[in-house]
Structures are given as C-alpha cells and as structure tokens.
Amino acid sequence: MVRVFMSYSHIDEALRDRLEVHLAPLKRQGVALWHDRRLLAGDALEDGIGTALAEADVVLLLVSPDFLASPACHDGEMQHAVDRHRTGRARVIPVILRACDWLSTPLRHLLAVPRDGRPVTLWPDQDQALHEVAVAIRRAVLERTPLAS
C-alpha cells in the first residue's frame, strides 16, 4: 500500500478537502491519504505527525503563504520531507495552492503542480487545477507500486 502524507496550513483546510475529493479514486484503489486531522483525541501531535511523515511514500506539500509562515510546516514537515526526497525514501510533490514566494525555498528544485507552479486559486476553474494535481499524484503513486483496479 502506498502512503501519502499531506502537509498544509490549517488556513488552507478547505483547499486540502477539495484536493482530497479529487484523490478519492486513488483512495478507492488502496492508497492511504494521511493528514493531521486523522489524529485522535489524546494522540501526541509531534509523534503522530512524525511517524506518518516517516512512513510516507509520497509527501504532498500544500504550499501557500501560511504554509511558508508556519514553523511546523516550513521548518519541520517540509525540511524533513525534502531530506527524505533527497535520499530517495519518499517523493515530494509541491502543490501550489495560493500565490507565495515558494521559489525562494528548497522546493524551487522540484517540479511543482499544477502546471508551471501556477497557484490553484489563480485558475479560472479550480477543479481543473485540482484534477491536474490529482493526475500528477496518480503518476507518482504508480511509480511506487501498481494500483488495484
């Protein structure tokens, strides 16, 4: 089973939810999507997030100004994910949700989605942008393992 970790700022939760809808076919095929809202009351935040990130095959960084401003997202999850990407233990996919200075971060070395790193919120049809993101994620997941039909 392929595990996908979603790192995002809670300000962008609505966009994360919309992306998750577009990823529903992958979930039906056995791909496990994880984000911090999967934690249960009483779970240790850092341990739960750290474990899920360490076990992820694919890491989605949902990038926005709030993501870049968040120490937990930028300094914690993003840095850990990029380190795992560099060593081949995970594939990191920057998903540019909203306009921000992501090209001044280590993500500038990675191919971002949607196409050309154009923020999802700047597309006339956000569903089209999220569909393009979902297709790219499917390709990355298929690289890790064939999916059940």
Side-chain angles (χ1 to χ4, degrees), residues 103-117:
L103 289 171
S104 68
T105 74
L107 301 179
R108 71 184 170 276
H109 300 293
L110 301 175
L111 183 62
V113 292
R115 186 176 343 120
D116 300 326

Side-chain angles (χ1 to χ4, degrees), residues 82-133:
V82 169
D83 289 343
R84 293 192 71 232
H85 183 87
R86 282 188 187 126
T87 60
R89 293 177 290 149
R91 171 173 290 279
V92 172
I93 301 173
V95 179
I96 312 305
L97 295 180
R98 297 187 289 128
C100 59
D101 188 19
W102 67 275
L103 289 171
S104 68
T105 74
L107 301 179
R108 71 184 170 276
H109 300 293
L110 301 175
L111 183 62
V113 292
R115 186 176 343 120
D116 300 326
R118 183 177 179 199
V120 169
T121 57
L122 294 183
W123 286 60
D125 182 348
Q126 288 183 13
D127 277 324
Q128 180 61 42
L130 291 171
H131 168 72
E132 188 172 295
V133 169

